[in-house]
Amino acid sequence: MSNTCFIGFKPTDYQYDTIKLIDQYRNTGTIISVLACRQVGKSLLNLNILFYESLNFPNKTSMYIAPTYKQAKKIYKEMIKSVGNNNIIQTANTQDMIITFINGSQIIFGSGAQGDALRGYTVSGILIVDEARDISDDLFYSVLMPMVRVHKSTILLTSTPRYKSGFFFSCYQKGNVITKYKSINYTDYDLSRFLTKEYVEDCRINLPSSAFITEVLGEFLDNNSTVFGDLKKCFVNEVKDRKITHVGIDWSLSTGNDNNVVTGLNMNSELVDQYVINNTSPTDTINKIANYLNKLGSHKINVVAELNSMGTVYFDLLKNKLNKNINIQGFNTSNVSKNAIINQLQVAIENGEFKLLKSEKELISEMKTFVADYNPKTRVVKYGAIQGCKDDRVMSLAFAMECFVNIKNKAVYIYNVL
């Protein structure tokens, strides 16, 4: 490694240690796992490793895999741009994202979204799997790993962490313990020049705790992790302002244990009331909720109600029964939109922007048993109650917070033209 020349790339200590590992274990079939938080030069490292391997070892085929086509395309374009006017590229196929150098080496760029279409490639240089946490186990074990067997090529896994499951976590855990597995954790190094105290504190305030732990601290989460953390920071002894201005409605679309829950917040984002209806007919449910809302007062009231499935029917029936001062809007719940409003509620709690009485036992109980469940096969995070528990009150609160944050009272200005 002493003869290595870096031109235009001065590696940090942790980047250099990664390069040394690659050089030391080249063509041994070693899997090197790099655990990195955000904004510490992971992409720059990958780009330069691809250059180094391709230019110093002729007639080799290397491969770069990202979770999405857009991510792979970005690195492909950056590599083309960084070459500039130097005549080291023989051809660059933009459609297939393959770069061929004048020494016969190639770099193939692909994405996890291609799935089985990636089969058939053989890697003789290096295989880099970027953001490995977002690549499926099936793709890694059945498609990517066979690519390196013939030449015992090195696999470099670089990623921010997520959950304690999946091939990336497994390979990282095996590093430096089992032969042909090596690991390096960038958070073991001094990252202060990239992650300043101001930046870290800003992330601590504005990111959900799970994102802060993984993206900034670079730590793995448990597969089933509680979502809202320490709730004591949002407790108050009393709520003086009892005027409800923002409301969230979570429908129960079945009879039995599920609840219809109406959550009311005041202008200070404090929980004023949760109105719960259970085991009533749809007509009675609508009438009771309409009666409850109409009695809140003549001031402006904004409402967000779920639309999914029968929720659309309930929404239309309720809308027709509400006073004119009540503005009701629907919310289409998908896994993506649900994650967004739960993350929004997380941030509000962590920043002390939401308050409730510690006597709200039922809601607090639901919040303590509300978890993020990660499926390593689908790479999807789903929020919900643990088995045997409810989340009706939590979802109603999340809709109310969505109402508070995003549904604003619009001022109306009247003027005369003279």
Side-chain angles (χ1 to χ4, degrees):
M1 201 67 190
S2 58
N3 294 326
T4 302
C5 179
F6 297 100
I7 301 176
F9 171 56
K10 184 178 180 180
T12 62
D13 48 358
Y14 50 87
Q15 288 173 330
Y16 187 64
D17 286 347
T18 306
I19 294 168
K20 287 193 293 184
L21 278 176
I22 294 171
D23 194 61
Q24 183 178 355
Y25 295 101
R26 182 176 286 104
N27 297 121
T28 62
T30 299
I31 298 177
I32 300 172
S33 301
V34 171
L35 181 67
C37 51
R38 295 290 185 191
Q39 305 300 319
V40 294
K42 176 169 57 63
S43 296
L44 180 63
L45 173 70
N46 287 336
L47 187 68
N48 280 276
I49 286 174
L50 288 170
F51 265 130
Y52 178 80
E53 296 294 315
S54 299
L55 298 181
N56 287 280
F57 302 95
N59 301 309
K60 296 287 186 180
T61 297
S62 294
M63 198 163 195
Y64 172 88
I65 300 293
T68 67
Y69 173 83
K70 184 178 180 179
Q71 290 168 301
K73 188 79 170 180
K74 179 177 181 291
I75 296 297
Y76 170 84
K77 287 183 175 180
E78 287 180 358
M79 176 160 282
I80 297 295
K81 183 179 179 180
S82 63
V83 170
N85 296 323
N86 294 313
N87 298 318
I88 59 173
I89 292 180
Q90 181 175 316
T91 60
N93 187 320
T94 303
Q95 183 175 348
D96 295 331
M97 290 199 297
I98 300 176
I99 298 175
T100 303
F101 294 91
I102 57 175
N103 65 355
S105 288
Q106 282 189 329
I107 303 174
I108 302 169
F109 297 81
S111 73
Q114 292 177 259
D116 285 346
L118 293 170
R119 292 183 185 274
Y121 287 110
T122 298
V123 174
S124 54
I126 190 170
L127 170 62
I128 296 180
V129 184
D130 197 9
E131 290 303 347
R133 70 177 196 178
D134 294 321
I135 300 293
S136 72
D137 287 3
D138 181 65
L139 181 69
F140 179 71
Y141 290 118
S142 65
V143 177
L144 300 183
M145 282 192 70
M147 294 178 179
V148 303
R149 286 175 184 162
V150 173
H151 299 279
K152 296 182 178 180
S153 300
T154 302
I155 298 178
L156 177 65
L157 308 177
T158 61
S159 187
T160 49
R162 186 171 285 151
Y163 292 96
K164 294 178 181 178
S165 61
F167 76 89
F168 176 64
F169 175 71
S170 176
C171 291
Y172 178 78
Q173 289 294 99
K174 293 175 183 176
N176 310 319
V177 176
I178 299 177
T179 304
K180 295 188 179 180
Y181 287 89
K182 302 297 174 184
S183 296
I184 182 169
N185 186 345
Y186 285 0
T187 61
D188 291 338
Y189 296 77
D190 180 11
L191 303 176
S192 58
R193 59 174 163 160
F194 300 105
L195 306 180
T196 64
K197 291 182 179 179
E198 293 78 12
Y199 172 79
V200 172
E201 187 58 27
D202 183 64
C203 290
R204 189 190 306 277
I205 293 172
N206 293 296
L207 289 178
S209 58
S210 57
F212 177 74
I213 290 170
T214 57
E215 306 292 317
V216 181
L217 300 184
E219 299 174 3
F220 287 100
L221 296 170
D222 291 327
N223 273 14
N224 290 315
S225 60
T226 55
V227 170
F228 299 113
D230 184 10
L231 293 174
K232 293 179 182 178
K233 64 181 69 176
C234 63
F235 290 164
V236 292
N237 293 322
E238 62 176 329
V239 176
K240 294 181 179 180
D241 183 1
R242 305 296 298 180
K243 181 187 288 187
I244 291 175
T245 55
H246 297 84
V247 175
I249 301 176
D250 181 60
W251 304 109
S252 168
L253 303 181
S254 63
T255 58
N257 292 326
D258 287 341
N259 296 319
N260 297 280
V261 182
V262 182
T263 297
L265 305 179
N266 63 21
M267 284 298 294
N268 300 316
S269 188
E270 296 173 315
L271 178 67
V272 176
D273 187 36
Q274 282 200 319
Y275 177 54
V276 179
I277 304 171
N278 178 267
N279 204 24
T280 60
S281 68
T283 300
D284 286 343
T285 297
I286 297 302
N287 288 335
K288 287 183 176 182
I289 292 178
N291 186 54
Y292 173 83
L293 293 176
N294 288 333
K295 287 184 176 181
L296 292 178
S298 59
H299 59 281
K300 184 70 173 181
I301 299 171
N302 290 312
V303 180
V304 167
E306 188 177 18
L307 287 181
N308 296 49
S309 187
M310 284 296 292
T312 303
V313 178
Y314 288 5
F315 178 89
D316 291 336
L317 292 172
L318 178 62
K319 185 176 182 179
N320 293 329
K321 293 179 177 291
L322 296 178
N323 294 338
K324 291 183 178 180
N325 65 301
I326 301 176
N327 167 43
I328 185 170
Q329 298 190 28
F331 186 91
N332 287 298
T333 307
S334 64
N335 191 60
V336 173
S337 65
K338 181 178 180 179
N339 287 5
I341 61 173
I342 294 299
N343 289 341
Q344 182 173 258
L345 179 58
Q346 280 182 298
V347 171
I349 291 172
E350 289 162 12
N351 292 348
E353 297 167 354
F354 164 70
K355 301 297 182 181
L356 79 160
L357 294 170
K358 58 184 177 182
S359 59
E360 295 284 350
K361 302 296 184 183
E362 292 85 356
L363 173 59
I364 293 171
S365 176
E366 283 195 12
M367 295 178 79
K368 287 182 176 179
T369 56
F370 195 81
V371 299
D373 185 20
Y374 176 65
N375 187 324
K377 291 185 178 180
T378 61
R379 322 298 285 188
V380 170
V381 177
K382 289 187 177 181
Y383 288 117
I386 63 175
Q387 188 172 2
C389 297
K390 300 177 183 179
D391 63 5
D392 313 297
R393 291 174 180 269
V394 172
M395 290 309 303
S396 177
L397 173 59
F399 292 134
M401 185 58 65
E402 166 68 11
C403 181
F404 182 86
V405 172
N406 295 313
I407 310 299
K408 305 295 184 183
N409 290 328
K410 295 183 179 179
V412 178
Y413 298 92
I414 301 175
Y415 58 93
N416 293 319
V417 179
L418 299 177

